[in-house]
Amino acid sequence: AVLAAAVGANYVAPYLGRMNDAGRDGFGVVVEMQKTADKLDSDMRILVASVRNVGDIAKLAAEGCDTFTISAQIAEQMFSDPLTAQAAADFEAAAERIGAYAVVPVEVEEVESGEVTEA
């Protein structure tokens, strides 16, 4: 991170999952990189790549990391929660029962200018 900031890099991209696969402490490395970038008061961003689970994003965000590249699978996990999905389905069903989605016909009339206005 120090070298990247020194040469004016906008981003440095540690591969979290690959570091972990190699037996390294990827989380610790990324956190130290973020702390270093913060101490340098650099505009450089730590772009955390090879994220394999949503929990890592939450833990790293708590340590100051705010830039990630993620797969579609991780994005789906982030935005799909069974409790939220059930709550949304319950809300939709209740709205339908009370007629919230009923189509109300609107009468329109044409005026001489050819414009259409609501009656």
Side-chain angles (χ1 to χ4, degrees):
V2 173
L3 180 59
V7 298
N10 292 317
Y11 295 92
V12 63
Y15 281 68
L16 177 66
R18 291 183 184 196
M19 285 189 283
N20 291 337
D21 291 347
R24 297 180 184 167
D25 176 15
F27 180 83
V29 170
V30 172
V31 168
E32 285 305 312
M33 291 175 84
Q34 184 63 55
K35 288 179 181 178
T36 300
D38 291 344
K39 286 179 186 173
L40 294 172
D41 196 31
S42 170
D43 290 336
M44 183 189 65
R45 307 288 293 269
I46 308 299
L47 175 61
V48 185
S50 188
V51 177
R52 306 256 172 90
N53 66 70
V54 175
D56 285 342
I57 294 171
K59 288 188 275 186
L60 287 167
E63 296 288 342
C65 297
D66 62 3
T67 309
F68 301 87
T69 179
I70 60 173
S71 67
Q73 179 183 13
I74 295 297
E76 186 176 314
Q77 290 173 16
M78 289 177 70
F79 298 109
S80 65
D81 176 18
L83 294 175
T84 301
Q86 185 59 54
D90 292 347
F91 179 86
E92 293 289 333
E96 196 168 319
R97 277 194 308 275
I98 65 168
Y101 297 122
V103 177
V104 178
V106 176
E107 292 183 34
V108 293
E109 62 182 55
E110 190 171 333
V111 293
E112 287 184 33
S113 66
E115 293 180 23
V116 176
T117 60
E118 287 189 31

